[in-house]
Amino acid sequence: MTNNSSLSVIPVIAIDGPSASGKGTVAQLVAEKLNFHYLDSGALYRIVAFAAYKNNIQWNAADKLGELAKSLKIQFNQNEIYLDGDRITEAVRSEEMSRGASEVAIHQPVRSALLDLQHSFRQAPGLVGDGRDMGSVIFKDAMLKIFLTASVQIRAERRYKQLMNKGLSANYEKILADLQSRDERDSQRSAAPLIQTADALLLETSECSIEQAVQFVLNAYQKHQ
Ligand code: CDP
């Protein structure tokens, strides 16, 4: 499916921002409140990294990864992710696949292979898309674009607490270094780099709660309607 004019009447809220900024949580809650569909575009890059790992394809093999991405049978059901019928929800959330996702995401063949799939999420009554290039590339005509961010130290603290709460071991310094290198890779790449577009509203969440961030997006949506 393409981004044609019949689809463009379906509203899209694009929420982009760096890793661990909380945009996934905010985007899901906004989608729930508005009864909109939700696209976790980062999950697609995680799935490609995971499938490459399973198929012994290197994360730097751009063309092979593009072919692989085209062939994947991906299904989202509630909060679960399936690949070729197998449930891979937790497997794609590992720190290794976080790194793999940001490595495979630099390749244009991978990004092109995932275009139609992302456009197909644009369904009535509307869509909230979360990622790095929702407003800059995939849904350029989104009715509302939000660039959601927080300082890298705050993001590292949040990720650290998340892991501790799950009973997993975590090292703050390592998390911080990892986020810094992913930020750099996401914003320096030539294919769809992470940027705040001129028409996006900045939402700095270093000092605001999830509820306040959700309210900010809902208020902006009301104004843009
Ligand atoms: O949860 P976190 O924000 O760390 O990551 P994610 O949103 O699941 O995305 C994983 C990786 O996929 C990111 O580090 C990006 O490199 C890449 N990505 C992308 O390039 N474009 C998107 N629209 C979404 C994610």
Side-chain angles (χ1 to χ4, degrees):
M1 207 183 289
T2 50
N3 220 359
N4 61 28
S5 56
S6 64
L7 283 175
S8 57
V9 294
I10 298 174
V12 175
I13 300 177
I15 304 186
D16 291 304
S19 289
S21 52
K23 63 189 176 343
T25 310
V26 172
Q28 275 184 68
L29 288 169
V30 169
E32 263 172 41
K33 292 266 181 202
L34 298 173
N35 219 2
F36 276 16
H37 298 276
Y38 168 60
L39 167 62
D40 170 7
S41 61
L44 302 177
Y45 296 93
R46 290 172 180 275
I47 296 168
V48 174
F50 177 81
Y53 169 78
K54 286 273 170 196
N55 288 283
N56 285 318
I57 297 174
Q58 302 291 312
W59 289 335
N60 61 7
D63 292 332
K64 279 190 189 164
L65 289 169
E67 287 305 312
L68 177 73
K70 269 190 235 160
S71 72
L72 297 177
K73 303 268 174 298
I74 300 170
Q75 264 184 300
F76 291 96
N77 194 348
Q78 312 285 345
N79 285 331
E80 305 288 357
I81 303 172
Y82 296 85
L83 177 63
D84 296 328
D86 293 333
R87 203 178 138 275
I88 56 163
T89 318
E90 284 84 30
V92 296
R93 292 274 147 222
S94 70
E95 287 305 297
E96 199 187 354
M97 291 310 146
S98 299
R99 187 169 59 83
S102 94
E103 292 194 18
V104 302
I106 67 173
H107 305 301
Q108 189 56 53
V110 174
R111 308 198 71 87
S112 303
L114 297 174
L115 262 180
D116 288 353
L117 177 59
Q118 293 181 84
H119 288 156
S120 74
F121 277 77
R122 188 173 198 164
Q123 286 179 23
L127 174 72
V128 182
D130 131 37
R132 303 292 188 287
D133 62 347
M134 296 291 95
S136 59
V137 177
I138 310 293
F139 302 110
K140 271 191 180 164
D141 63 340
M143 57 98 74
L144 176 63
K145 300 181 186 180
I146 305 282
F147 190 81
L148 195 156
T149 188
S151 75
V152 70
Q153 288 80 7
I154 296 270
R155 289 186 279 128
E157 266 172 44
R158 288 179 183 162
R159 179 66 38 106
Y160 176 81
K161 283 186 194 148
Q162 245 176 21
L163 292 170
M164 296 301 275
N165 287 340
K166 281 190 200 158
L168 299 169
S169 68
N171 174 321
Y172 174 81
E173 294 304 328
K174 188 171 176 309
I175 293 171
L176 181 66
D178 198 51
L179 282 180
Q180 281 166 331
S181 73
R182 279 209 279 151
D183 280 359
E184 196 177 316
R185 199 158 39 229
D186 287 353
S187 49
Q188 302 297 314
R189 69 186 182 208
S190 56
L194 173 65
I195 44 156
Q196 181 187 347
T197 56
D199 53 354
L201 299 179
L202 176 66
L203 173 51
E204 223 299 337
T205 66
S206 295
E207 291 184 10
C208 87
S209 65
I210 294 283
E211 292 73 25
Q212 287 170 321
V214 170
Q215 204 48 56
F216 176 94
V217 181
L218 291 173
N219 291 344
Y221 171 72
Q222 299 298 345
K223 276 193 206 144
H224 279 68
Q225 259 187 324

